[in-house]
Amino acid sequence: MIALRRTSFDTACRVEVEVSDEYCRANVVLANDYEVGPGDRVRVHGAPIRVGFGERRVENRIATVERASTVERLWTKFAGHFEMAELYEVSFSDRTTV
């Protein structure tokens, strides 16, 4: 029953964390260009990375990638369409008054 079972594996990754007046971001790049799909989980091992304002830190870590089962992947894609519809209700128009 592969369609109902998750699989997992460990891989190397690069974690980039930056906090500045231009960026507030954290990015994980998996080794070997593994692609993360709908419903997949990635857990990066190690202590939390702390950076001060104006700093950028890059660290190499190990990550566990847990692939979603076929059923979970299909459900995530299906449910994602309804989550996307909530964004349509948000207005990004300019609120300047005349």
Side-chain angles (χ1 to χ4, degrees):
M1 287 236 194
I2 294 173
L4 300 175
R5 225 178 65 179
R6 282 183 167 264
T7 59
S8 65
F9 60 91
D10 289 341
T11 185
C13 68
R14 185 178 72 239
V15 180
E16 303 170 0
V17 180
E18 182 176 0
V19 178
S20 67
D21 56 348
E22 293 180 26
Y23 297 107
C24 181
R25 65 183 178 132
N27 190 30
V28 175
V29 179
L30 299 175
N32 301 321
D33 294 326
Y34 287 117
E35 289 200 27
V36 178
D40 292 348
R41 298 177 187 159
V42 177
R43 181 173 178 217
V44 178
H45 302 281
I49 299 172
R50 304 202 190 283
V51 296
F53 186 78
E55 293 180 7
R56 179 177 186 266
R57 184 171 295 161
V58 178
E59 291 189 13
N60 293 317
R61 300 270 179 107
I62 298 295
T64 300
V65 178
E66 191 175 350
R67 296 278 190 204
S69 66
T70 304
V71 172
E72 288 174 312
R73 191 171 308 281
L74 291 172
W75 175 253
T76 302
K77 286 182 180 180
F78 175 75
H81 291 290
F82 296 105
E83 295 292 328
M84 186 68 169
E86 289 182 17
L87 292 176
Y88 298 142
E89 297 176 14
V90 178
S91 173
F92 294 101
S93 61
D94 188 19
R95 291 188 176 214
T96 58
T97 57
V98 179

